[in-house]
Amino acid sequence: MSWKFLLGTDYFGRDLLSRILAGARYTVGIALIATLLSAGTGVLSAADSSTAKTINLPEQALNFNMGTIVGSFATVAKLLDEAATVPGTKGLMLTFDDFVEGIETFGKHIQPLMASRASRLKSAA
């Protein structure tokens, strides 16, 4: 490495920095073209009932709040029941660190404690 070749040279004596910058120019260009094509296609194919358009309607307001619910099974069930009583709430999206383990734990230990799910659990049994 020297001041003349900041990243050094390859086995053939070619400057690595200039080769990286030349390659990046093509990569960025291709990425820009792909982005513009996909954005243009998405805008042109958007239907009147598309999610993006219905989110903007007041009666279809959507709010993605991220939060973490921590506590005992009973506490988590109670907090989810409270969230279900918020006017206009039609559903909640849950995520788990380990999906399979999280779903099994939710189904076995939390969902049976939820008052808002009691009627659905009885009809499923």
Side-chain angles (χ1 to χ4, degrees):
M1 188 173 105
S2 69
W3 285 108
K4 187 174 179 182
F5 302 111
L6 293 178
L7 294 180
T9 60
D10 63 8
Y11 293 114
F12 301 108
R14 298 177 294 194
D15 179 25
L16 289 178
L17 179 61
S18 65
R19 293 181 61 76
I20 290 171
L21 292 175
R25 180 179 60 196
Y26 294 114
T27 303
V28 170
I30 290 169
L32 180 64
I33 290 169
T35 302
L36 292 174
L37 285 174
S38 63
T41 304
V43 167
L44 293 175
S45 67
D48 288 335
S49 61
S50 68
T51 303
K53 291 184 179 182
T54 58
I55 287 174
N56 292 324
L57 299 174
E59 65 273 5
Q60 297 292 329
L62 180 63
N63 188 4
F64 280 109
N65 285 321
M66 292 187 63
T68 303
I69 299 175
V70 179
S72 67
F73 296 140
T75 300
V76 172
K78 180 182 175 196
L79 291 171
L80 290 172
D81 277 334
E82 287 179 19
T85 63
V86 173
T89 300
K90 294 183 181 179
L92 298 171
M93 181 174 63
L94 304 175
T95 60
F96 305 98
D97 291 333
D98 180 329
F99 180 77
V100 174
E101 181 182 334
I103 285 293
E104 288 175 356
T105 301
F106 180 79
K108 289 178 186 174
H109 301 289
I110 297 170
Q111 194 172 4
L113 300 174
M114 295 174 62
S116 61
R117 302 293 296 167
S119 63
R120 290 185 185 249
L121 289 175
K122 288 178 185 173
S123 65

